[in-house]
Amino acid sequence: MAATEPAAPAGEQNPRLARNILSLPNCLALSAALMAPVLAVILNAPAGGADAGAALPLAFLIAFIAALFVANSVVEFARKLSSAGSFYTFLSQSLGTLYGFFSGWLYAGAYVVLMIGLVTANGAFLHTYLLSTFSWDVAWWILGILLVAIAMTFSVRSIRTSVRLDLILLAAEMFIFSLLAVIAIARAGHGNSLTYFNPSSGPSGFSGVALAVVFGLLSFIGFEAAATLGEETAKPKRNVPLAVWGAVIGVGVFFVFVVYGLAAGFHLNTAAGLKAFLASPAQFTTLAQTYAPWLKQPVDLAAIAGLFSCMLAVLNTTVRVVYAMAREHIIHGSLSAVHPRFRSPYVAIYAVVGFAVVAGIILSAWLGSGLTAVYGWTGSIGTIAVILVYGLANIGLIKFYWGQPDFSVLKHLIAPVIGTAVLLYPLYEVAKPGQTYPYNIVAYIVLAWIIIGYGLYAYLQRRAPEKLAALGATMATDEIDFAEQHELSLSSGSEFPAPERPAQELPTSELPGPDAT
């Protein structure tokens, strides 16, 4: 039987999330799984190839470098603040309640929307696979509900087991696609070329590469997920930053390598190769059929595993942000309920899954039930919201560290400025006017969500200002001291009154069990 979190101590009326039960590999698995590396290269690499052509690997390399600057902000915040609220806590502590509220509002909304798309994508992809492989015609919505029910069960019973499963699936799918890339590179002959890293090798030069970079950057969305595990992770100030860096660097290297293998295998350095690439309905399946037919089934199964692990990671990330906001009564307090045995935010889990299933079925009736129908549309909405939060975090980092003894010009000023700049172009490309229906209303939906959020914020400011004053205050025990000292230094203009204290001893009941990994 799968391991579960320790039950709440006897007599505890309001159990918290289980503490100190997750390790560095667990956190890394969540961030990497949410980035969905296999799904990203399956969908985003071909989409970027239309603009970049032979320079597609260069586009992903540039996106990788840009993502490192954005990741810096999450890492530097996580070194000081550990909370399930992630950006919600970061922005509350740096820019104040208004920006803290809107970061949580946008971030939670983005991932709820992404969850909707993943429910439909999982069902649609599995439906296609079963129909083509076994001639089993099972309705996509039945498969989608079945898969999300499995994910929900893992999420409720054990975050530790959930991230372990993410790690297993992630390792398997990345190994299969890396193996395919190795075989393609080894057998590509003159398809191997350094021209793939020359912007002039693309049909539109650097402008085409810049457009493809957008798809590359979108592939990195979700790298920060480990930050939501700050309250459940042992040594969060160490493990969360390492997990974020590990996910960005590890998956970034995977992206560049596999995309190079794709380019080499298709001989994108030739006109015929580019034509064949653009004409293929499934580039990686074609690559497997060409160079390693025995890998075709594993490639399809790896895609299924990648979709499921991404959905599980998105669910676990979403519910922790919802839980953090409900815990401070910004949204309905019932969503902060923690299971007395499994120590998971089970009410938030049930609510997010129920809403995702209903919304997914309704949207599929409107947009269609194909893999990229609801998934692509909801993904665009979520991407705009997440990019806005990333930008706010970059700005917040500058203010948070400004004037502090450990302020670094490189990490706390130059890096967040560059990180903000690199987000502007992909934000424009996703939200720009003149797109085809229904993508032309995506930006308006995000704007409507912001307006609704402002209405809620104004209501709370008038009726319950004490709730806004407490935004982002709940963190892991050993982080509270720094937050209090930081607020004091900002308000008084002084430096820290005292050095940061070491982590407090945890009660015996909250120590990890012998099987915690």
Side-chain angles (χ1 to χ4, degrees):
M1 181 178 293
T4 58
E5 275 61 66
E12 185 175 350
Q13 297 299 314
N14 298 299
R16 302 177 301 176
L17 298 177
R19 304 300 175 98
N20 281 5
I21 63 167
L22 299 179
S23 64
L24 173 58
N26 298 151
C27 295
L28 195 154
L30 185 72
S31 280
L34 205 149
M35 292 165 71
V38 165
L39 184 63
V41 294
I42 287 176
L43 297 180
N44 292 338
D51 297 305
L56 183 62
L58 173 64
F60 270 77
L61 177 61
I62 294 173
F64 178 21
I65 295 170
L68 293 174
F69 286 100
V70 181
N72 170 77
S73 293
V74 178
V75 167
E76 291 303 307
F77 268 125
R79 291 187 193 283
K80 302 295 184 181
L81 305 173
S82 298
S83 170
S86 183
F87 290 108
Y88 164 68
T89 298
F90 300 161
L91 272 297
S92 295
Q93 294 290 334
S94 58
L95 296 181
T97 58
L98 176 63
Y99 294 97
F101 172 86
F102 271 104
S103 64
W105 184 253
L106 284 168
Y107 195 68
Y111 278 101
V112 168
V113 169
L114 291 174
M115 185 69 190
I116 295 170
L118 283 166
V119 170
T120 61
N122 270 267
F125 197 93
L126 186 56
H127 165 79
T128 301
Y129 174 77
L130 293 177
L131 186 62
S132 62
T133 306
F134 304 106
S135 299
W136 296 349
D137 189 7
V138 184
W140 75 266
W141 60 269
I142 294 177
L143 298 172
I145 291 175
L146 175 63
L147 290 172
V148 78
I150 295 172
M152 181 181 70
T153 301
F154 275 108
S155 187
V156 170
R157 289 185 61 85
S158 175
I159 180 61
R160 185 164 52 197
T161 303
S162 295
V163 292
R164 282 175 176 172
L165 178 60
D166 271 332
L167 186 60
I168 293 170
L169 295 177
L170 186 71
E173 66 199 52
M174 290 179 70
F175 172 78
I176 291 170
F177 271 67
S178 297
L179 178 61
L180 176 60
V182 168
I183 295 172
I185 292 170
R187 299 184 59 188
H190 67 274
N192 288 291
S193 174
L194 291 178
T195 60
Y196 298 134
F197 297 98
N198 184 346
S200 64
S201 64
S204 305
F206 191 78
S207 62
V209 173
L211 287 171
V213 168
V214 173
F215 293 98
L217 279 172
L218 298 185
S219 301
F220 284 91
I221 295 291
F223 69 85
E224 76 291 340
T228 64
L229 301 178
E231 295 177 35
E232 299 161 278
T233 302
K235 300 179 180 178
K237 290 197 298 182
R238 170 187 175 272
N239 286 339
V240 171
L242 286 176
V244 172
W245 278 132
V248 172
I249 294 172
V251 175
V253 170
F254 170 83
F255 282 157
V256 175
F257 178 71
V258 170
V259 170
Y260 176 84
L262 186 66
F266 268 93
H267 291 200
L268 291 188
N269 55 346
T270 66
L274 180 59
K275 182 178 179 181
F277 176 86
L278 297 177
S280 175
Q283 284 79 3
F284 282 94
T285 299
T286 300
L287 200 67
Q289 289 175 333
T290 302
Y291 294 104
W294 54 275
L295 266 179
K296 181 181 179 301
Q297 282 294 324
V299 164
D300 288 341
L301 292 173
I304 293 173
L307 269 169
F308 179 80
S309 65
C310 181
M311 180 170 66
L312 181 59
V314 167
L315 176 60
N316 282 319
T317 300
T318 305
V319 298
R320 275 155 181 78
V321 178
V322 171
Y323 160 81
M325 297 184 72
R327 177 175 57 187
E328 294 172 5
H329 303 286
I330 300 304
I331 55 179
H332 201 281
S334 63
L335 294 171
S336 67
V338 174
H339 197 286
R341 178 183 176 190
F342 302 126
R343 308 296 290 277
S344 60
Y346 71 109
V347 175
I349 294 171
Y350 295 151
V352 169
V353 168
F355 179 77
V357 168
V358 173
I361 292 174
I362 292 173
L363 286 177
S364 67
W366 170 39
L367 298 171
S369 59
L371 173 61
T372 59
V374 176
Y375 175 81
W377 190 70
T378 56
S380 297
I381 296 172
T383 295
I384 293 176
V386 171
I387 288 178
L388 290 174
V389 174
Y390 286 173
L392 285 174
N394 288 330
I395 297 170
L397 184 74
I398 298 173
K399 184 177 179 182
F400 187 77
Y401 276 93
W402 190 267
Q404 301 302 330
D406 53 350
F407 175 80
S408 165
V409 173
L410 177 61
K411 292 189 292 185
H412 306 140
L413 180 60
I414 296 176
V417 168
I418 295 176
T420 302
V422 300
L423 293 173
L424 295 178
Y425 190 67
L427 177 63
Y428 169 76
E429 282 296 319
V430 178
K432 68 181 179 181
Q435 301 188 68
T436 58
Y437 181 83
Y439 288 88
N440 60 336
I441 63 174
V442 161
Y444 296 107
I445 292 175
V446 177
L447 179 61
W449 183 246
I450 292 174
I451 293 172
I452 293 171
Y454 183 78
L456 176 58
Y457 180 85
Y459 173 82
L460 291 172
Q461 195 174 39
R462 185 173 64 254
R463 295 294 184 89
E466 71 282 356
K467 294 181 179 179
L468 294 178
L471 285 184
T474 307
M475 289 171 279
T477 305
D478 58 333
E479 312 303 329
I480 295 176
D481 297 329
F482 176 86
E484 292 175 345
Q485 292 170 350
H486 181 77
E487 287 183 352
L488 179 61
S489 68
L490 287 179
S491 61
S492 64
S494 63
E495 294 186 351
F496 291 126
E500 190 177 355
R501 293 188 296 180
Q504 300 174 11
E505 292 289 336
L506 286 169
T508 303
S509 61
E510 292 185 9
L511 291 176
D515 61 338
T517 58

